Amino acid sequence: MLRLTQPTTDLLRVSASSTNAIQITVSYSERTATAYTGKTAILVKTTTAIQDILGPPASGSVYAVDHAMFYCAAANTLTPSLTVSGTAVPYGVFVLAAGDTLEYTHADGWRVKDSTGAIKFTMPGYLPLTGGTGSGVATFTAQPILSSLTAS
């Protein structure tokens, strides 16, 4: 979960490799001792400079990010980060093709979707093995991790 808890230092930020426009939408909740309020931040980034997406919460408040979306109409490389007490902690470096969307959800974390909405992923060079070849269809079978429970 992405949380901003410090009222003077926490920032959700992003940097980009090009000035190609990025449309950013962040849905988050602000929690205080007496209220829980849903909010949305929308902005367009057109520079390579680090851009603040969410500033620090007010004293006594916590921001919890539920969903963040970074749409790139043209190719770009994005580096979202959380800054805590002046120290930036990047979540990763994401290379996006034209039409790709970088998405964060509270339930699933970070992922990239292509222009059709399909989730993109990179499988390291496991198949084919070095020096080998692969052909046909690879089939993976899921096995249960826990087959039974016994009450005690």
Side-chain angles (χ1 to χ4, degrees):
M1 173 188 288
L2 299 178
R3 286 190 186 210
L4 282 71
T5 60
Q6 300 300 314
T8 57
T9 61
D10 285 8
L11 301 167
L12 180 60
R13 309 173 104 185
V14 67
S15 62
S17 64
S18 79
T19 57
N20 294 332
I22 306 161
Q23 297 172 0
I24 303 169
T25 305
V26 178
S27 297
Y28 63 104
S29 302
E30 180 178 12
R31 184 177 50 98
T32 67
T34 59
Y36 192 79
T37 308
K39 297 186 174 193
T40 301
I42 298 173
L43 60 118
V44 176
K45 179 176 176 37
T46 58
T47 69
T48 57
I50 295 172
Q51 172 88 39
D52 292 351
I53 301 168
L54 287 180
S59 181
S61 293
V62 172
Y63 291 162
V65 176
D66 302 309
H67 183 259
M69 188 173 66
F70 304 79
Y71 171 74
C72 295
N76 217 323
T77 300
L78 303 183
T79 306
S81 63
L82 178 66
T83 299
V84 179
S85 300
T87 302
V89 180
Y91 287 110
V93 176
F94 300 90
V95 179
L96 304 176
D100 284 356
T101 299
L102 172 61
E103 182 180 52
Y104 168 83
T105 64
H106 173 77
D108 296 323
W110 295 96
R111 61 184 173 193
V112 175
K113 293 182 176 180
D114 68 16
S115 60
T116 68
I119 297 171
K120 295 173 76 172
F121 63 93
T122 302
M123 185 169 183
Y126 298 131
L127 294 173
L129 299 174
T130 303
T133 60
S135 63
V137 176
T139 303
F140 300 94
T141 304
Q143 298 295 322
I145 294 173
L146 180 63
S147 59
S148 65
L149 292 174
T150 305
S152 56

